[in-house]
């Protein structure tokens, strides 16, 4: 593919223990991407002796292994490895990824047609063909996202370094990728997920899902939302039979603004919407069970709770009554639009 031959791509894989998964990741990268990439930088974040021995025993000429003296955390490890590269693009992979095929082909096709695309990610297979059909495809076939998930992504190296990469204040993992995404959007860059590029991801192989993991998540979540309080927005939009194409420009801009700030939209309509603009927009058909589920959403996680209700024209009366009750109980802000504004 001409786009691939014109670009230089290096791979960065931060490793912390889990030697079996780490080796599987490295083997799969060499097997499926070896002829399309230059160097694979392995950053060992002070793993145990078994992982260190495995890494030192690798015989691939493309692989360069660096051992950190101390556990620096995911963000610092990636930053150090990227600093060794001079490639146009850097593919950053978690060590619990398994490459299933050459997913760089669709990613580079998107890069070729969008100069403002800073980051493009494969999926974990969580975007089915049916789900993907609900989202607007951008030139190159990707779906817009305003949330960077750091398990696997291809990024312009110069842009990554101009933004000083991941913020080391997040320490040993979690939310440093989301933070980087916010800064990319702030600087006018676009991010995307390509549903035709699929990898396998075994989550939590390094940190697990125990008490230490939960404490890291809580700490970094608090740091993230202290920086981006508007990212807490979870707006419930309820309307009659309207689609994105029916909305006035001012309304479309309001919806877009919420998502660009890191928030999410939950849009209830009489029938499924034919198209959604980005991955932070969800749609369900109006019914009582969906409404109750959204009302109870985030009972234990404040950042998951509905924060505002927007009522567009032609909302059924029973739904309006329930929404008013919900708004009163949760002391939420509500905004209403009449038919004249549409």
């Amino acid at each position: 593919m001409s786009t691939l031959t014109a670009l230089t791509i290096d791979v960065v894989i931060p490793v912390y223990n889990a030697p079996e998964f780490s080796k599987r990741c490295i083997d799969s990268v060499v097997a499926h991407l070896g002829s399309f990439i230059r160097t694979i930088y392995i950053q060992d974040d002070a793993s145990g002796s078994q992982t260190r021995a495995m890494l030192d025993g690798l015989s691939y000429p493309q692989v360069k292994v660096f051992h950190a003296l101390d556990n620096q955390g995911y963000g610092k490890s990636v930053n150090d490895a990227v600093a060794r590269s001079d490639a146009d693009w850097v593919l950053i992979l978690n060590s619990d990824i398994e490459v299933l095929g050459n997913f760089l082909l669709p990613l580079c096709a998107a890069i070729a047609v969008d100069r403002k695309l800073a980051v493009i990610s494969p999926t974990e297979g969580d975007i089915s063909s049916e789900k993907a059909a609900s989202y607007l495809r951008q030139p190159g076939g990707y779906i817009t996202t305003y949330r960077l998930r750091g398990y696997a992504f291809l990024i312009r190296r110069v842009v990554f370094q101009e933004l000083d990469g991941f913020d080391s204040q997040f320490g040993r993992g979690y939310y440093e990728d989301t933070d980087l995404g916010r800064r990319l959007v702030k600087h006018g860059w676009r991010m995307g997920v390509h549903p035709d590029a699929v990898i396998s991801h075994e989550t939590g192989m390094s940190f697990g899902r125990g008490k230490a993991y939960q404490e890291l998540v809580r700490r970094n979540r608090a740091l993230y939302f202290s920086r981006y309080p508007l990212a807490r927005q979870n707006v419930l939009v309820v309307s009659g039979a309207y689609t994105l194409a029916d909305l006035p420009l001012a309304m479309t801009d309001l919806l877009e603004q919420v998502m660009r700030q890191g928030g999410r939209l939950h849009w209830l309509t009489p029938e499924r919407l034919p198209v959604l603009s980005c991955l932070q927009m969800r749609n369900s058909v109006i019914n009582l069970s969906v409404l109750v589920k959204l009302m109870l959403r985030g009972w234990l996680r404040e950042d998951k709770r509905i924060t505002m209700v927007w009522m567009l024209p032609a909302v059924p009366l029973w739904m309006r009554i329930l929404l008013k009750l919900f708004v009163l109980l949760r002391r939420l802000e509500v905004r209403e639009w009449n038919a004249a504004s549409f």
Side-chain angles (χ1 to χ4, degrees):
M1 187 174 181
S2 59
T3 304
L4 281 171
T5 57
L7 292 170
T8 53
I9 301 175
D10 285 342
V11 179
V12 164
I13 306 174
V15 169
Y16 179 67
N17 292 325
E20 298 85 0
F21 285 94
S22 298
K23 188 174 188 305
R24 186 189 69 175
C25 175
I26 297 164
D27 290 343
S28 69
V29 169
V30 174
H32 294 290
L33 308 179
S35 61
F36 295 90
I37 59 176
R38 294 192 321 178
T39 303
I40 303 170
Y41 293 99
I42 308 297
Q43 184 75 18
D44 172 29
D45 203 16
S47 296
S49 58
Q50 185 179 0
T51 301
R52 186 183 181 95
M54 180 275 292
L55 294 173
D56 289 341
L58 295 172
S59 58
Y60 299 122
Q62 286 176 292
V63 171
K64 296 185 183 298
V65 178
F66 297 85
H67 297 287
L69 297 178
D70 301 302
N71 189 330
Q72 307 175 102
Y74 173 81
K76 182 66 164 59
S77 292
V78 171
N79 290 351
D80 286 354
V82 172
R84 299 186 179 100
S85 170
D86 63 355
D88 298 311
W89 290 75
V90 178
L91 175 64
I92 298 171
L93 299 175
N94 277 10
S95 60
D96 50 13
I97 292 292
E98 182 179 10
V99 178
L100 306 175
N102 189 359
F103 67 86
L104 284 176
L105 294 173
L107 301 191
C108 289
I111 291 166
V113 296
D114 192 339
R115 294 183 178 180
K116 294 300 292 181
L117 184 64
V119 175
I120 180 76
S121 302
T123 77
E124 303 171 85
D126 54 338
I127 303 180
S128 65
S129 57
E130 181 180 357
K131 183 178 178 181
S134 300
Y135 288 96
L136 177 66
R137 293 280 195 118
Q138 301 297 333
Y142 74 88
I143 298 170
T144 298
T145 185
Y146 292 113
R147 182 182 177 88
L148 175 60
R149 296 177 63 199
Y151 61 87
F153 62 96
L154 186 64
I155 188 167
R156 297 178 189 269
R157 181 185 58 82
V158 171
V159 174
F160 183 85
Q161 293 184 314
E162 284 178 348
L163 295 180
D164 296 324
F166 289 126
D167 189 332
S168 60
Q169 287 192 44
F170 287 92
R172 293 180 55 238
Y174 313 111
Y175 282 90
E176 69 283 288
D177 50 354
T178 319
D179 171 81
L180 177 59
R182 295 270 58 74
R183 289 184 280 133
L184 285 166
V185 172
K186 181 180 178 181
H187 284 80
W189 291 101
R190 287 192 279 270
M191 300 186 292
V193 174
H194 209 303
D196 300 333
V198 180
I199 49 89
S200 175
H201 183 203
E202 298 282 347
T203 59
M205 290 301 104
S206 291
F207 291 115
R209 286 291 184 266
K211 183 178 179 181
Y213 163 83
Q214 297 295 338
E215 290 175 352
L216 285 169
V217 170
R218 282 193 291 269
R219 173 197 175 275
N220 287 353
R221 183 189 298 132
L223 175 58
Y224 172 73
F225 284 117
S226 71
R227 292 181 175 182
Y228 312 102
L230 292 177
R232 291 182 181 273
Q233 295 177 101
N234 283 285
V235 179
L236 174 59
V237 182
V238 187
S239 77
Y242 291 98
T243 68
L244 280 172
D246 299 321
L247 302 183
L249 182 59
M251 185 69 197
T252 303
D253 288 344
L254 285 174
L255 299 178
E256 186 73 12
Q257 185 179 21
V258 169
M259 295 182 290
R260 286 183 63 85
Q261 292 168 339
R264 290 181 172 87
L265 294 172
H266 312 269
W267 192 350
L268 303 185
T269 50
E271 296 180 359
R272 284 279 186 181
L273 293 174
V275 65
L276 305 172
S277 63
C278 84
L279 290 176
Q280 283 65 55
M281 179 181 286
R282 304 293 175 87
N283 172 236
S284 299
V285 173
I286 292 175
N287 64 66
L288 182 59
S289 64
V290 170
L291 181 60
V292 170
K293 183 178 179 180
L294 288 169
M295 286 180 176
L296 298 176
R297 179 182 171 87
W299 194 257
L300 299 176
R301 279 271 304 273
E302 185 180 351
D303 58 293
K304 295 286 187 180
R305 297 174 189 170
I306 297 298
T307 57
M308 189 181 302
V309 175
W310 293 358
M311 283 192 278
L312 279 55
V315 176
L317 179 60
W318 67 269
M319 176 64 78
R320 283 186 174 274
I321 294 171
L322 285 176
L323 285 171
K324 294 285 188 179
L325 178 62
F326 176 45
V327 166
L328 286 173
L329 289 173
R330 301 291 289 270
R331 299 179 181 178
L332 300 178
E333 179 182 346
V334 60
R335 297 185 63 181
E336 297 186 57
W337 284 262
N338 56 40
S341 62
F342 279 65

